[in-house]
Amino acid sequence: MRYELYYWDGIPGRGEFVRLALEEAGADYVEVARLPVRKGGGTKALMHYMSDPAVKRPPFAPPYLKAGRLLIGQTANILLFLGPRLMLVPKNKRSRLWAHQLQLTIADLVAEAHDVHHPIASSLYYEEQKREAKRAAQIFREERIPKFLDYFERVLKTNRRGRGHLVGDSISYVDLSMFQLIGGLCYAFPRNMARHSRRYPRLIELCHMVEARPNIDAYLRSERRLQFNEDGIFRHYAELDG
Ligand SMILES: N[C@@H](CCC(=O)N[C@@H](CS)C(=O)NCC(=O)O)C(=O)O
């Protein structure tokens, strides 16, 4: 099956959590918004399933995935669907629920990371909410990052059977998403993350494990991989790094 991934062009964003799963599995997929318009791509194609009133069960926002006739929105929901198909989650129901629970927790932190630079409204520019962003960033750095990362570090520690993995005893989509999450936080808050890196040895080890996987390594070197930038979710503004 050829999957169609719909996400904004130019930013890794939430689309990256889905891309990493597709890339690790070597799945056949196209990024619709990155295709030329003459090949049915571009922003208009991206908007189609969200805005056409004839579409049943439309997604609210990208990313969304088209798999045959299925149209699936919400990052964690897409991964819930793809996990078993790409063999990126254990077979049993308990583990699948656990993986989904962790993915939703990752999504919470991703949303908070976004709200640091847009604490008042997504529709305003960062420059219009810089003062509030500075306040939000201090609390995010001092309270929220440690609370979430302590939790994920603990999950790694207690998963004794699968040393180095968040779920089960082999790579899952949650490991891949954690790699992206930690990478994003290190990009946005380099000083803060470097200062506390010794607190999260298992999470850092997990990131090295993920980036060394052959398919991920090839993907990271390819032009399909988009770099973090200041239009995305994880943005580096030195004044927010403390
Ligand atoms: N909870 C959704 C959030 C989706 C989302 O916020 N997408 C962003 C791009 S990363 C967007 O385009 N939002 C438009 C909006 O919220 O108006 C998910 O995890 O997929």
Side-chain angles (χ1 to χ4, degrees):
M1 142 135 9
R2 167 169 279 203
Y3 297 103
E4 290 178 11
L5 174 60
Y6 292 76
Y7 193 68
W8 305 109
D9 191 12
I11 57 166
R14 288 179 172 92
E16 197 63 16
F17 299 104
V18 182
R19 281 185 206 111
L20 285 168
L22 292 165
E23 292 283 347
E24 166 63 23
D28 185 11
Y29 76 101
V30 280
E31 285 253 15
V32 176
R34 296 180 77 185
L35 289 175
V37 175
R38 67 187 152 77
K39 287 196 174 167
T43 306
K44 204 170 157 199
L46 172 71
M47 300 308 287
H48 167 72
Y49 286 103
M50 292 188 291
S51 55
D52 183 344
V55 173
K56 285 187 191 146
R57 302 178 178 174
F60 173 73
Y64 60 90
L65 185 83
K66 200 160 175 299
R69 294 176 62 181
L70 267 179
L71 191 58
I72 309 161
Q74 290 284 358
T75 312
N77 200 35
I78 298 169
L79 291 169
L80 179 72
F81 167 75
L82 283 178
R85 295 170 74 108
L86 304 181
M87 304 217 288
L88 284 173
V89 73
K91 283 206 165 77
N92 65 80
K93 195 171 161 188
R94 255 175 94 186
S95 297
R96 285 189 188 181
L97 275 174
W98 176 229
H100 188 50
Q101 179 177 326
L102 291 173
Q103 193 65 39
L104 289 168
T105 312
I106 290 172
D108 287 343
L109 183 52
V110 170
E112 289 196 26
H114 169 272
D115 291 352
V116 164
H117 51 78
H118 279 73
I120 303 297
S122 296
S123 52
L124 299 175
Y125 288 110
Y126 165 64
E127 286 70 24
E128 296 174 276
Q129 42 196 325
K130 264 178 113 164
R131 226 170 40 144
E132 294 87 349
K134 209 165 176 186
R135 256 190 98 185
Q138 187 185 354
I139 296 167
F140 185 68
R141 287 190 320 262
E142 291 174 8
E143 295 175 15
R144 303 302 286 167
I145 294 182
K147 186 164 182 180
F148 275 95
L149 297 195
D150 282 352
Y151 168 74
F152 291 131
E153 183 75 18
R154 180 177 141 209
V155 171
L156 278 171
K157 193 175 174 184
T158 50
N159 186 20
R160 290 212 180 82
R161 268 211 237 146
R163 228 188 96 71
H165 297 291
L166 285 155
V167 180
D169 59 6
S170 60
I171 186 106
S172 73
Y173 65 79
V174 189
D175 288 341
L176 299 168
S177 290
M178 187 57 64
F179 161 76
Q180 183 64 13
L181 176 69
I182 300 290
L185 292 173
C186 289
Y187 173 81
F189 305 100
R191 284 173 46 166
N192 180 72
M193 291 297 284
R195 203 170 327 132
H196 299 298
S197 62
R198 257 180 287 155
R199 191 162 159 172
Y200 311 114
R202 290 175 183 81
L203 285 169
I204 288 164
E205 195 187 319
L206 178 144
C207 290
H208 293 316
M209 177 276 289
V210 169
E211 68 192 353
R213 301 207 41 106
N215 284 358
I216 296 295
D217 178 54
Y219 166 62
L220 296 178
R221 293 163 193 267
S222 77
E223 59 185 29
R224 297 190 302 285
R225 167 76 169 182
L226 296 164
Q227 302 306 314
F228 292 112
N229 61 61
E230 281 54 61
D231 291 320
I233 293 174
F234 299 103
R235 301 187 186 189
H236 177 61
Y237 296 121
E239 62 275 21
L240 301 187
D241 194 16

